[in-house]
Amino acid sequence: MMKRAGMAGLLLVLALSAFSSTLQAQKAPKIKETVTFAQSWDKAVEEAKLLNVPIVVHSHGFY
C-alpha cells in the first residue's frame, strides 16, 4: 500500500512540474511598439505624401 501511495505521489509531482513548465512557456511575450502612429489625420496625410505610400485605415469594430 505504501509503495502505491509513493508512486502516486511521484507521478503527481512529475505531472505538476510538466504542467507548470507548459504554463510558463505559454505566457505572451512583451511586445515592443514598433510603429509610430501619427497624432492626427492631417499629419498622417502629410507623412504619406512625403513618403509616397498609401494610408491604411482599419477599424476593429462598429461603434
Side-chain angles (χ1 to χ4, degrees):
M1 187 73 166
M2 192 63 143
K3 274 188 167 180
R4 283 188 182 179
M7 185 61 85
L10 179 61
L11 288 175
L12 179 63
V13 168
L14 289 173
L16 288 175
S17 66
F19 184 68
S20 66
S21 65
T22 303
L23 286 178
Q24 289 174 352
Q26 291 179 355
K27 288 183 181 176
K30 199 169 196 178
I31 299 174
K32 295 179 183 178
E33 189 174 321
T34 57
V35 177
T36 304
F37 296 100
Q39 298 298 315
S40 70
W41 178 254
D42 292 331
K43 288 183 180 182
V45 171
E46 180 183 334
E47 182 180 359
K49 287 180 180 179
L50 178 68
L51 297 173
N52 195 28
V53 295
I55 294 178
V56 178
V57 178
H58 180 77
S59 175
H60 287 277
F62 299 98
Y63 301 102

